[in-house]
Amino acid sequence: MDTPSHPLPPADRAQTRLYYWVLAAIVLGGLFGHFDAAHAVALKPVGDGFIGLIKMLIAPVVFCTVVLGIAGASDMKKAGRVGFKALVYFEVVSTLALALGVIVANVLRPGQGFNVDPASLDTQAVAGFAKQAGQQTVAEFFLHIIPKTFTDAFTGSGDLLQVLLVSVLFGLALHKMGEAGRLVHRFVEECAHLFFAMMNVVMKLAPIGAGAAMAFTIGKYGIDALKPLAALMGCFYLTCALFVVLVLGGIGKLIGFNIFKLLRYLKEELLLVLGTSSSETALVPLMNKLERLGCSRSVVGLVVPSGYSFNLDGTNIYLTLSALFIAQALNVDLSLSQQLTLLLVAMLTSKGASGVTGAGFITLAATLAVVPAVPVAALSLILGIDRFMSEARALTNLIGNAVATIVVSQSERELNQAQLRAELEGGVRG
């Protein structure tokens, strides 16, 4: 079993206290947003600032972990095998998520009965999202993965796919250098310690960031914003729950762990994501927890960062379910071939979607564009509740990446089953 390349924070009382502080902040933030919406909305910069601090460190953290995972591998065939297994797993499970969204939308038909007149749609409200979604063709999407310069991957658009590409190439080159690259390897390793330490410092602000973000969400949109579209909200949360329990739970049972115990073990990370609506805020804590569960360092370093771009199960459910909801609300009866086309396009557009709030909405606009019968302007129907659905998207994405890492570790025979059981049982008792 590999030893961690970065310090793992102990599961002590300080971590437990942070969990309760975040929980209290979310509750208080929600109440503040409900009773004093005007001042709650003014807290948006506080929540955005916290997420900004996290995003500032995501690229260097991903770079260091991927480089160390590849360069530190004794066998390059193993690194390639881990990457291949992860991508195959991502594609299979992501497709299941997309298909589940289609099935639930066709069975429950949450948009039926809305009878929306296309002429009444607010085209200005979604013009910006539609413009961003239409900026890239398929070829441009793949070319965009290549940064203009090495440093542009970190200082440009902040695209995680660009960071992954640079990290993989750097790690491969460093591995080929052998002993000659030992000094650079040690430098990257020390940088990893530094960036993880910085992240641990930023995480102390989690209660403030999560509370402010929740206050803004409730203050801006209000509880009343949920009522008109409660059917879609209910279907989406139900579908995410079914996916986690049935699909991910079934996978967990095959591997040898209980999905509910895993959720209990990851409660701090899940609560942080719930408050901020961003799975990126929990990237580093998730990696720490997975290593503590018995997953090898090399697998965690490769699977988790790539999963944040290629394994977005919650986003996939959102894409197909929301697209079909909009079609139903407009009384547009999509044929089987149109629904299959929607599903296939979503398999592409979902790749590289960021865990930050709003990216899923842009991706939905790109997906909806392939069905001319459904105007992109119809996105305005769900604009008001998109923020509320982003929590479920981010939570499902996080859980999916945790399960993926455990699965790949097990397939590589680098999962300490005894440690996994002990940690999960301890998490339940805790």
Side-chain angles (χ1 to χ4, degrees):
M1 183 67 63
D2 297 329
T3 55
S5 63
H6 50 77
L8 294 176
D12 55 13
R13 293 180 180 177
Q15 187 177 10
T16 303
R17 284 198 298 269
L18 183 62
Y19 165 75
Y20 288 115
W21 276 113
V22 171
L23 178 61
I26 291 175
V27 173
L28 292 174
L31 292 173
F32 183 49
H34 179 65
F35 291 108
D36 192 354
H39 289 93
V41 170
L43 292 178
K44 185 178 187 296
V46 179
D48 290 347
F50 173 71
I51 295 177
L53 286 172
I54 296 292
K55 285 181 64 64
M56 174 185 71
L57 297 172
I58 290 295
V61 164
V62 168
F63 176 79
C64 291
T65 52
V66 173
V67 167
L68 292 173
I70 295 176
S74 56
D75 182 5
M76 282 310 300
K77 289 183 178 179
K78 173 196 167 183
R81 187 173 65 246
V82 168
F84 178 75
K85 286 180 179 179
L87 290 177
V88 170
Y89 174 90
F90 293 161
E91 197 57 48
V92 171
V93 178
S94 294
T95 302
L96 290 175
L98 289 167
L100 185 60
V102 171
I103 293 171
V104 172
N106 279 287
V107 172
L108 298 182
R109 302 189 65 82
Q112 193 171 28
F114 271 65
N115 302 318
V116 176
D117 180 6
S120 66
L121 298 173
D122 184 1
T123 58
Q124 294 298 320
V126 297
F129 295 105
K131 182 179 179 180
Q132 285 181 269
Q135 284 177 345
Q136 288 185 339
T137 63
V138 175
E140 289 172 340
F141 170 80
F142 286 106
L143 288 175
H144 179 70
I145 297 176
I146 306 173
K148 294 178 182 178
T149 65
F150 182 89
T151 56
D152 190 58
F154 304 92
T155 62
S157 62
D159 194 325
L160 198 57
L161 286 173
Q162 294 183 352
V163 177
L164 285 172
L165 176 63
V166 169
S167 305
V168 169
L169 293 175
F170 195 98
L172 289 172
L174 190 57
H175 185 275
K176 287 183 176 295
M177 290 178 66
E179 286 300 319
R182 178 58 54 186
L183 183 62
V184 177
H185 186 280
R186 180 64 184 273
F187 173 75
V188 175
E189 197 169 36
E190 291 303 320
C191 284
H193 281 80
L194 175 63
F195 287 121
F196 272 83
M198 290 174 65
M199 188 67 80
N200 289 335
V201 171
V202 172
M203 291 305 296
K204 297 291 191 292
L205 301 175
I208 298 175
M214 183 59 70
F216 165 76
T217 300
I218 301 298
K220 174 70 173 179
Y221 302 105
I223 301 297
D224 291 338
L226 303 179
K227 295 177 182 178
L229 298 170
L232 175 60
M233 289 280 296
C235 282
F236 181 59
Y237 276 81
L238 173 64
T239 309
C240 288
L242 288 174
F243 179 81
V244 171
V245 175
L246 298 181
V247 178
L248 298 183
I251 294 172
K253 188 173 183 180
L254 291 175
I255 297 299
F257 68 89
N258 184 287
I259 189 67
F260 296 106
K261 290 182 179 179
L262 179 64
L263 296 180
R264 177 66 180 268
Y265 187 74
L266 297 175
K267 61 183 183 295
E268 291 89 357
E269 292 70 32
L270 294 174
L271 191 64
L272 180 60
V273 169
L274 176 65
T276 60
S277 300
S278 171
S279 57
E280 289 187 346
T281 56
L283 186 146
V284 171
L286 176 64
M287 294 173 70
N288 288 333
K289 283 286 186 71
L290 289 171
E291 287 194 29
R292 193 178 294 135
L293 276 175
C295 298
S296 69
R297 175 191 62 187
S298 58
V299 172
V300 171
L302 290 173
V303 176
V304 175
S306 57
Y308 266 66
S309 285
F310 294 102
N311 190 40
L312 303 175
D313 301 325
T315 301
N316 290 331
I317 295 171
Y318 168 81
L319 290 178
T320 50
L321 183 61
S322 297
L324 291 179
F325 167 84
I326 291 172
Q328 293 165 6
L330 294 173
N331 293 318
V332 176
D333 188 18
L334 297 181
S335 65
L336 178 61
S337 61
Q338 287 177 313
Q339 292 190 35
L340 289 176
T341 300
L342 198 68
L343 192 150
L344 291 172
V345 171
M347 290 172 64
L348 174 64
T349 56
S350 63
K351 302 300 182 287
S354 171
V356 176
T357 305
F361 202 74
I362 296 169
T363 308
L364 176 59
T367 306
L368 206 59
V370 303
V371 185
V374 181
V376 177
L379 287 173
S380 60
L381 294 175
I382 63 172
L383 182 61
I385 64 166
D386 179 73
R387 175 83 187 197
F388 292 99
M389 292 196 288
S390 66
E391 282 90 351
R393 286 201 301 264
L395 288 169
T396 308
N397 291 343
L398 181 81
I399 299 166
N401 283 320
V403 173
T405 307
I406 296 173
V407 169
V408 176
S409 294
Q410 173 67 14
S411 71
E412 285 293 303
R413 297 183 180 179
E414 294 188 6
L415 175 65
N416 189 325
Q417 286 279 3
Q419 187 173 339
L420 175 67
R421 287 192 296 271
E423 285 290 323
L424 291 183
E425 290 298 332
V428 172
R429 288 193 299 271

